[in-house]
Amino acid sequence: MIRRFSWFNATSLTLGFAFLYMPMIILVIYSFNASKLVTVWAGFSTKWYGELLRNEAFLDAAWVTLKVAVISSSIATVLGTMAAYVLVRGGRFAGRTLFSGMIYAPLVMPEVITGLSLLLLFIAVGLDRGVITIVLAHTTFSMCYVSVVVSSRLVAFDRSLEEAALDLGCTPFDAFMSVTLPMIAPAVISGWLLAFTLSLDDLVIASFTSGPSSTTLPIKIFSAVRLGVSPEINALSTIMIGIVAVGVIAASLISKTRIARMTRDEQAAQQQ
Amino acid sequence: MNFRRFLLVLVPYGWLLALFLVPFLIVLKIALSDTALSIPPYTPTLDLSAGWAGIKDFFGALDFENFVFLTQDDLYWKAYLSSLKIALISTLVTLVVGYPIAYGMARAPQEWRPTLMMLVILPFWTSFLIRVYSWMGILSQEGFLNQFLQWAGLTSEPLIILNTNWAVYIGIVYTYLPFMILPIYATLEKLDVSLLEAAEDLGCSRTEAFWLITAPLSRSGVIAGCFLVFIPAIGEFVIPSILGGSRTLMIGKVLWEEFFSNRDWPVASAVAVILLLILVIPIILFQRNEQRQRELEQ
């Protein structure tokens, strides 16, 4: 058997994952450092977490970021699912090529260009920069990601089920709600999650489209980080890494148990 | 029913037209305008109330002056070249680092693979900004890397890495590594093992078998991974501005400074237009590679 797992494979995996995880592990450990000197260990302390919770500016920014992320990812999920449906099931219509081009282009567009162009639009139409403009900007690029995720699921799934619903007298809308949507629901949910994290994380586009009263957390972190490493930012990063780790691991466990249940149900059905 | 279908197309279509295509046309228009000390800081502005004459004046005042300026001031073409160089070198390093990891994953026992996949994807869900920031504490002069090197007796003086191009390379390789690993892993996992067995039966050494079979068959994954790193690396802003120094020239950073510090909107727009023209070539090549791959699979 040639497919043996060699020492070379084991070493490259160990080193590779050490490289991927070491910086974040160091960050997490040193967020509990008592010293203000971030690279010198001076005993365990949670004081930077306390400082963080008393820092009004960070809390305000976190609230703005969360608001923007929830609203923009929800709109983006609706628009992105519509776009995916139109692309996969819509057949031909005038301007279809332009439409699919506009879905894929934002995925490769450098963020500085997306940010700049949206800002110039908002100024041209006289829209004041604030939460609304960030939401509009985030919705626009994340709906494209949602649409890619959902359309890959739509392509994979059997069209005859939809046709059966239509034959049995459903309107296209009813067929979508009762047949298509439940089938593509996992993709829609992961699309929403993707849009949500993209929005939480975005610095460049938010910097172009935010106003003075609507600073988001990444903007706040960026301006603090430019002055150097700070223990408060380490604490904030640890909280964010923790939330993501718990979320992703929980999601994978849930999908694992679901798959296990589905295979069990199938086996049970076959035995009957 | 037709009205519903019309609405279904119209809403996302209209959204993208208004918030993707129109803004881009505005950038193009401003790139052709002149800088002016006014609000907004460029001329001409379209005056529709003047009717046809206004439109004619408007188009008459547009010119390619900003693009000529970009070719004359060597800051800009140096920044474009340096972005391409940094993106190219980091892409190659990412390939060298990422390939063995993807290879190890594909060789790992079946039951480990979902976990290994999740470990590669997990950093992708964590904030990009934080992952870049985590290197500041490692690479600084009194940082962990220098502490380690001095403790191990490898250097006596602390190395200066942060705020140089070295830090930018490390940052790009680190943050884009999952984009390289995943497509290569996808092709390696599908690889037919019996081909390797046949090669070894026919007298190939393991290294020869790798170069004769594994490497060519994983080519499309390598190409896809390289483009997925190269394309975003060219326009990168966050990494050079956090890890790079004042002498790190990257076009995303130049555009940002032109806009926010110099408030020169027409030049910033012209920089954006050229950047996009540069990106069109690798994007088309990437699309072709994907399409060929899809055709092969069918």
Side-chain angles (χ1 to χ4, degrees), chain A residues 82-198:
Chain A
M82 284 169 89
Y85 193 79
V86 167
L87 276 179
V88 179
R89 297 274 195 270
R92 292 182 173 278
F93 57 89
R96 191 183 185 283
T97 321
L98 176 66
F99 185 62
S100 71
M102 288 195 301
I103 292 286
Y104 289 105
L107 307 181
V108 289
M109 191 70 102
E111 286 174 314
V112 276
I113 298 185
T114 311
L116 175 74
S117 66
L118 281 165
L119 169 58
L120 294 176
L121 170 81
F122 295 144
I123 289 170
V125 297
L127 194 58
D128 276 337
R129 280 180 280 160
V131 172
I132 293 173
T133 49
I134 313 176
V135 167
L136 288 175
H138 282 184
T139 306
T140 308
F141 76 81
S142 47
M143 72 176 273
C144 301
Y145 285 89
V146 174
S147 150
V148 170
V149 172
V150 172
S151 57
S152 66
R153 173 83 186 174
L154 267 179
V155 169
F157 118 79
D158 190 0
R159 194 171 186 174
S160 56
L161 288 170
E162 273 168 22
E163 279 161 1
L166 291 174
D167 287 347
L168 293 171
C170 274
T171 64
F173 182 73
D174 287 338
F176 177 81
M177 292 309 267
S178 54
V179 178
T180 318
L181 195 57
M183 293 290 285
I184 60 171
V188 174
I189 293 169
S190 46
W192 186 87
L193 275 175
L194 185 61
F196 184 76
T197 44
L198 285 170

Side-chain angles (χ1 to χ4, degrees), chain A residues 2-4 9 12 19-21 23 26 39 90 95 109-110 116-119 123 140 201 207 225 229-230 234, chain B residues 5 13 15 19 23 100 103 106 113 119 123 127-128 133-134 142 144 147 174 193 200 206 256 259 265 276 279:
Chain A
I2 205 160
R3 224 167 213 274
R4 44 196 174 234
N9 295 145
S12 50
F19 177 62
L20 273 177
Y21 283 91
I26 293 177
T39 53
M109 191 70 102
L116 175 74
S117 66
L118 281 165
L119 169 58
I123 289 170
T140 308
D201 196 23
S207 300
V225 154
V229 184
S230 97
N234 286 354
Chain B
R5 188 187 126 100
Y13 207 141
W15 184 287
L19 286 146
Y103 189 67
R113 287 188 205 161
L119 282 174
S127 166
F128 186 83
Y133 162 73
S134 67
E142 61 281 2
F144 300 109
Q147 285 180 20
Y174 177 68
V193 196
E200 291 201 3
R206 287 187 71 176
W256 177 284
F259 189 86
W265 296 11
L276 214 60
L279 281 174

